Amino acid sequence: MLKMNRRSPLLPQLSAALLALFVSAALLGSQSTQLQAQSQQPQKPQQPQQPDSDTSGPDTSSGPIVVPKKKTPADDTPPPAPAAPKLKAPEGMPPVTLHVEVPEVTVDVGVLLEKTHQFVPGLKPTNFRIYEDGQEQKVIGFKRVEAPITALMICEFAATSYQFVYDMRNAAFSFANQLRPQDYVALMTFDLRTQIVTDFTQDKRQILEAINSLRIPGFSERDVFDALYEGLDRVSRIDGQKYIILIASGRDTMSKITLDKILDKVKKTPDVTIFTISTGGLIRALTEGRGGFNGQLRDIDYLQADNQMQTFARMTGGMSFQPRFIGEMPEDFAAINQAIRSKYELIYHPTNSKQDGSFRRIKVELIDEEGHPLRMQDEKKKQLKYELIVRDGYRARQVVE
């Protein structure tokens, strides 16, 4: 029987083969795990390989086409203007604003026939030519006005001769009888001082009763300048066009206001027209020219009084009357009523826009279509004379700087 004392050479080789087989199986397992994970991840699209422009030829592959964007045309809008610099007023100085006023002048023109004192209707804007200080003005507004009136009657009620009081009462009654329901009228009397008998009212009966109460005067002085000055003050507080009916002899005895001051007051008071009625015409005509020094002085005084009454009316575009008989008064006041209620209103912007308080003289002319002086004829082709009732000027506003 044989005995084996040495190891078998096949055992080491078998161990090495088993070890190699185990390692191979482990590697195969890890590779399968990696492949399974890669299959679950999303695949990224392959980017085409960009050929080298210097070395490669034209690319015939159908890749994505890139269209170049069009260039946006340049905006023609100019850039915004730079912001205006902000100016700051000095400290302590109030804000300053600029206010420009364009002066506007309104002129009332009455066109009456000299013989009948009738108003002439149907005139057009082209028939009027207006001048201010000799410079022709452009008429921008024109209309015919016939509206209610606002009037102040100033009556001389002095203890001189009853004939003067009698004429004053008749003249006042004649004017009051022609009032309309929409008219506003007040009554003021004067002798040595003034007195408001009736304030502005539309009650015609109240005015008639106030006139009827004027029977016994208190003083013989006649301060017509003071009375007219106060009357202008009163009506200047009323807006719009106003009228003063001055019924007096025109003589002034003890006024504190001088003739120059009252004329200046008449010029400075806007929108007021004065109509004057002289009293005592009959007694003056009977006693005029009787001779003697006192008689001559009296005649001179009344001539001056007539001139003053006419000046008040002419300066404001009114009318002046010297009736001698009672029968003349209704006709005279009918002419006043016609001149007050029917007139033409002209509006213009003066070429001299300075507001310096200076007096500007106004002149109005009537012209035909060819620019010649307007001529009027009646139905029998007889030429008619007419007169223009317009104030001779106005005073510009005074701007205080």
Side-chain angles (χ1 to χ4, degrees), residues 48-79:
Q49 187 178 359
Q50 297 293 338
D52 192 356
S53 60
D54 294 336
T55 58
S56 61
D59 187 6
T60 58
S61 63
S62 59
I65 301 175
V66 180
V67 180
K69 294 182 178 180
K70 294 182 179 181
K71 295 183 179 180
T72 304
D75 192 1
D76 296 334
T77 304

Side-chain angles (χ1 to χ4, degrees), residues 106 108 235 238-243 269-273 391:
T106 302
D108 292 333
V235 298
I238 305 173
D239 295 333
Q241 182 68 31
K242 289 86 58 177
Y243 302 92
T269 306
D271 302 328
V272 176
T273 304
R391 64 184 303 136

Side-chain angles (χ1 to χ4, degrees), residues 156 160-168 249 279-280 283 302:
E156 178 186 295
T160 52
S161 171
Y162 181 74
Q163 187 65 42
F164 289 92
V165 177
Y166 182 72
D167 289 347
M168 180 272 294
S249 65
T279 57
I283 192 173
Y302 279 117

Side-chain angles (χ1 to χ4, degrees), residues 163 280-290 298 324-325:
Q163 187 65 42
L282 179 60
I283 192 173
R284 286 176 51 188
L286 295 176
T287 59
E288 189 175 18
R290 286 192 174 183
R298 191 207 63 169
R324 294 185 178 182
F325 305 100

